[in-house]
């Protein structure tokens, strides 16, 4: 029997049992659609988060924090702390360094008129910070190079917490910062009045050392007067982003502080996150694959029933000279065709599902579930479909179909012609 005759025979057998074939195909469609939809959203989520992080990171920077400070580091606790003047120590002893800036952070509240919201207060040298991060720029007003002690810059989400163009204050208005400190054993609320010099451009990223929409910025000298000379982290800009430069500078900084600091590079952070996201995508694909395996069992069940129903037919074919290989190809062809139709329809359904969720404006974590919190960041998820993903889904659907069709096909091929002709 020619190959074309085999496929013609396969088409005829499927047409003869339309309802059963349709139900079997439906199982494949559901499994493939789930895989495509989940993988596309997983890739979209990874791209969205990576893009958000890249906006707040510079690839040629290192983030230095005290070891075990509870920030980026997860090492054992330590009573070591960094000082603002440690920037000079790094700059003078690490030749790979281009620029260094200390950051003092404090959680507090901003009060403007009748509006009060939680913010991150960041004390930093404006000039040096601008040189490291080009996202630190003013949309309204200016970033003064020689700021006065009462100068403050507002992040985009602080100035417009409702995201509707309504600012909480105007340029040159005075606002009040409030935070809690201790006077002996007693907590004390402290306030300080600032003048708004500028409102920063919207960044949209997550601030790992870099600018953030949910922060307010004050001169480092003012922060030292208000909060002391301890700094939360030091941002080190290198002369280039070469891996060797990053590794050498990181090692020298750790040695400089007797291994009491953690040094995290932006590129290493992004690489780690990409690895995590790849693992998550594989996990999602594994979950979706379970439904496809269930569909494969359905194919096996359908094919076994089909073999039982067509035992006499198989006997007649063998009596007419059909070889075992031909009988096996017929049943494998049926499984392959069911898998092909189901996979193609499943890919189309997965793309449609992803498009529907995208048009519904599905967003990731970090929305504004209530109240005014300027530090929150919403992430719009746009499904990403790649040719590799679609081809992989198609191949996986065909593989599962053929795999679960092997046993019924082998069973059909092993039937004895005489016994098959006697079967009722």
């Amino acid at each position: 029997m020619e190959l074309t005759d085999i496929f013609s025979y396969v088409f005829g057998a499927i047409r003869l049992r339309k309802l059963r074939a349709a139900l079997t195909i439906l199982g494949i469609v559901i499994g493939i659609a789930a895989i495509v939809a989940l993988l596309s959203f997983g890739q979209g989520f990874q791209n969205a988060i990576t893009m958000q992080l890249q906006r707040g990171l510079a690839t040629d920077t290192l983030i230095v924090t005290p070891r075990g400070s509870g920030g980026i580091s997860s090492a054992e606790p330590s009573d070591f702390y960094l000082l603002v003047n440690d920037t000079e120590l790094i700059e003078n002893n690490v030749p790979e360094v281009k620029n260094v800036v200390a950051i003092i952070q404090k959680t507090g509240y901003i009060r403007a008129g009748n509006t009060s919201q939680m913010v991150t207060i960041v004390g930093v040298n404006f000039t040096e910070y601008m040189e490291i991060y080009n996202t630190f720029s003013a949309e309204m007003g200016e970033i003064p190079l020689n700021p006065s002690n009462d100068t403050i810059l507002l992040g985009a989400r602080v100035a417009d917490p409702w995201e509707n163009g309504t600012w909480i204050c105007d340029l040159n208005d005075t606002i009040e910062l409030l935070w809690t400190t201790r006077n002996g054993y007693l907590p004390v609320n402290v306030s300080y009045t600032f003048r708004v010099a500028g409102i920063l451009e919207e960044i949209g990223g997550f601030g790992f050392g870099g600018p953030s929409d949910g922060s307010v910025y004050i001169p480092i000298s003012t922060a030292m007067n208000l909060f002391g000379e301890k700094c939360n982290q030091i941002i080190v800009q290198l002369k280039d982003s070469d891996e060797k430069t990053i590794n050498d500078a990181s090692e020298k900084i750790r040695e400089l502080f007797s291994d009491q600091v953690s040094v995290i590079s932006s590129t290493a952070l992004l690489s780690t996150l990409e690895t995590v996201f790849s693992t998550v995508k594989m996990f999602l694909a594994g979950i979706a694959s379970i439904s496809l395996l269930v569909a494969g069992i359905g194919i096996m069940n359908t094919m076994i029933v089909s073999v039982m129903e067509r035992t006499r037919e198989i006997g007649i074919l063998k009596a007419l000279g059909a070889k075992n290989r031909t009988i096996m190809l017929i049943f494998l062809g049926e499984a392959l065709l069911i898998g092909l139709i189901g996979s193609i329809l499943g890919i189309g359904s997965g793309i449609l599902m992803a498009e529907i969720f995208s048009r519904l404006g599905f967003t990731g974590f970090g929305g504004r579930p209530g109240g005014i919190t300027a530090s929150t960041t919403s992430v719009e998820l746009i499904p990403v479909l790649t040719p590799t993903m679609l081809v992989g889904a198609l191949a996986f659907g065909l593989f599962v179909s053929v795999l679960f069709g092997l046993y019924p096909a082998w069973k059909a091929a092993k039937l004895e012609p005489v016994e098959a002709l006697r079967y009722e």
Side-chain angles (χ1 to χ4, degrees), residues 335-355:
L336 182 64
L337 184 58
I338 288 173
L340 179 62
I341 296 173
S343 297
I344 292 174
L345 293 178
I347 290 173
S349 300
I351 294 173
L352 182 62
M353 288 169 57
E355 183 66 22

Side-chain angles (χ1 to χ4, degrees), residues 28 289 292-293 295-297 299 395-405:
I28 299 293
S289 299
L292 187 58
L293 294 177
I297 295 174
I299 290 177
F396 187 51
L398 295 178
F399 172 76
V400 170
S401 300
V402 173
L403 178 65
F404 283 91

Side-chain angles (χ1 to χ4, degrees), residues 11-27 298 301-302 305 309 338:
F11 275 109
I14 292 178
R15 283 199 304 267
L16 191 63
R17 301 166 181 85
K18 295 185 181 68
L19 180 59
R20 184 187 301 169
L23 292 175
T24 307
I25 289 172
L26 181 61
N301 180 62
T302 299
V305 172
E309 290 179 346
I338 288 173

Side-chain angles (χ1 to χ4, degrees), residues 297-316:
I297 295 174
I299 290 177
M300 179 181 289
N301 180 62
T302 299
M303 298 297 293
I304 290 176
V305 172
S306 180
V307 170
M308 294 175 63
E309 290 179 346
R310 296 159 62 184
T311 301
R312 283 181 60 84
E313 180 183 329
I314 294 170
I316 293 172

Side-chain angles (χ1 to χ4, degrees), residues 164-177:
N164 60 2
T166 304
W167 289 2
I168 61 173
C169 61
D170 294 322
L171 294 176
N172 295 316
D173 281 356
T174 58
I175 61 173
E176 189 177 13
L177 279 186

Side-chain angles (χ1 to χ4, degrees), residues 40-116:
S40 65
F41 270 106
Q43 185 64 50
F45 185 72
Q46 176 179 345
N47 291 353
I49 297 298
T50 301
M51 183 173 64
Q52 293 286 328
L53 285 170
Q54 287 174 337
R55 290 177 181 175
L57 294 172
T59 56
D60 59 350
T61 60
L62 300 175
I63 302 173
V64 183
T65 59
R67 183 169 59 86
S69 62
I72 297 175
S73 171
S74 60
E76 292 296 324
S78 170
D79 57 359
F80 178 83
Y81 53 84
L82 292 170
L83 297 173
V84 173
N85 290 336
D86 286 335
T87 55
E88 298 178 6
L89 187 64
I90 295 175
E91 198 166 16
N92 295 332
N93 292 276
V94 184
E96 292 86 359
V97 170
K98 178 181 178 182
N99 203 351
V100 187
V101 59
I103 292 179
I104 298 176
Q105 288 184 339
K106 184 83 171 178
T107 300
Y109 287 85
I110 187 172
R111 182 184 294 165
N114 296 323
T115 302
S116 178

